[in-house]
Amino acid sequence: MDQTASYHVAAWNVGRQLAVFADVVVMWNTPASRGERRVPLANVGVFVRGVLPADSALRVPKPARPLWETRAFPWWLLALAAVALGLALWWWLRRRKRPVVAIAPAIDPYDRAAADFARIEAMGLVDAGERTRFVSLVIEVLRDYLAARYPDARLALTSRELLSSLRRRPAVTPDALARVLHDADLAKFAGLALAEDRARAVARDARAIVDREHAASQPRPVAQAAA
């Protein structure tokens, strides 16, 4: 059996340099004999000759390197880990100190519609001559209320589609709804100038539709038995 070992060496001084190697131990174990033989490597070395100029003879040789070197842990990896830990701590503290935002209670569609009707009336649009804008805002409140009460009364529907979807709703008067939607469409899309009394009538009819639908959706009081 042939076995070869290769060593990488680095000279740190000139002259003859001995390599510190352990003895090579050859062992055998056969039916005929058994034993071992040592081959000393104490006198194995290399001769190093300098190739520098003569005036560099005052060089200081480096110390011998250990047989097994331990590499230091990369400093940049430690710095990166410290930065990541700092960011994680900052995020946790910020999330911990974040104020709890209270969720506002849901507003009843009828209460919201009543407040919006009052707000539009207080704007004084009819007295200012902006009757088309007044009617458009009133119809917007009416459609918002119906959309909140009925999923099939979507805001994207046209007036005709809205009437068709709510025709089977007994709480919504189809004739009154058709009248206010017709007047609003004429004012918004056909440029019809509504008279002051007609604009206020559209607002009264829209409020009446909302009030009638809200009253119909409320549970009926239980009649008390006569004593």
Side-chain angles (χ1 to χ4, degrees), residues 155-177:
L155 297 177
L157 299 179
T158 63
S159 297
R160 179 172 297 181
E161 292 171 343
L162 180 62
L163 288 171
S164 177
S165 64
L166 296 179
R167 195 168 298 276
R168 294 182 300 274
R169 303 291 184 178
V172 180
T173 306
D175 295 338
L177 180 61

Side-chain angles (χ1 to χ4, degrees), residues 17-219:
Q17 306 295 331
L18 295 178
V20 182
F21 294 120
D23 296 343
V24 176
V25 180
V26 180
M27 304 180 63
W28 67 91
N29 185 8
T30 64
S33 62
R34 178 181 180 182
E36 69 176 32
R37 179 181 177 185
R38 292 182 173 271
V39 180
L41 301 177
N43 296 325
V44 176
V46 294
F47 184 83
V48 182
R49 185 181 64 179
V51 295
L52 298 176
D55 56 357
S56 62
L58 298 178
R59 79 271 184 274
V60 178
K62 296 180 180 180
R65 297 172 61 181
L67 184 60
W68 305 104
E69 291 184 346
T70 57
R71 296 183 179 273
F73 197 77
W75 64 269
W76 58 267
L77 193 57
L78 293 175
L80 184 62
V83 171
L85 182 61
L87 290 176
L89 181 60
W90 171 80
W91 176 84
W92 180 77
L93 291 176
R94 183 180 180 183
R95 183 177 179 86
R96 183 181 180 185
K97 296 180 180 179
R98 184 177 301 175
V100 179
V101 179
I103 300 177
I107 302 177
D108 182 76
Y110 179 75
D111 295 338
R112 182 171 63 245
D116 289 341
F117 281 137
R119 175 179 55 83
I120 295 172
E121 191 68 34
M123 294 172 65
L125 296 176
V126 176
D127 297 333
E130 299 186 25
R131 293 184 287 273
T132 300
R133 184 185 176 194
F134 173 76
V135 170
S136 299
L137 293 177
V138 168
I139 296 302
E140 182 178 344
V141 174
L142 173 61
R143 296 200 58 163
D144 287 341
Y145 173 79
L146 294 176
R149 293 285 293 117
Y150 302 105
D152 52 351
R154 299 183 302 273
L155 297 177
L157 299 179
T158 63
S159 297
R160 179 172 297 181
E161 292 171 343
L162 180 62
L163 288 171
S164 177
S165 64
L166 296 179
R167 195 168 298 276
R168 294 182 300 274
R169 303 291 184 178
V172 180
T173 306
D175 295 338
L177 180 61
R179 185 170 57 253
V180 296
L181 291 179
H182 176 71
D183 291 345
D185 289 344
L186 289 178
K188 291 190 296 182
F189 304 118
L192 177 64
L194 295 177
E196 179 179 346
D197 57 345
R198 186 58 197 144
R200 296 189 184 278
V202 170
R204 288 195 302 269
D205 292 343
R207 285 194 176 192
I209 293 172
V210 172
D211 292 339
R212 189 180 302 111
E213 197 287 330
H214 175 70
S217 64
Q218 301 302 306

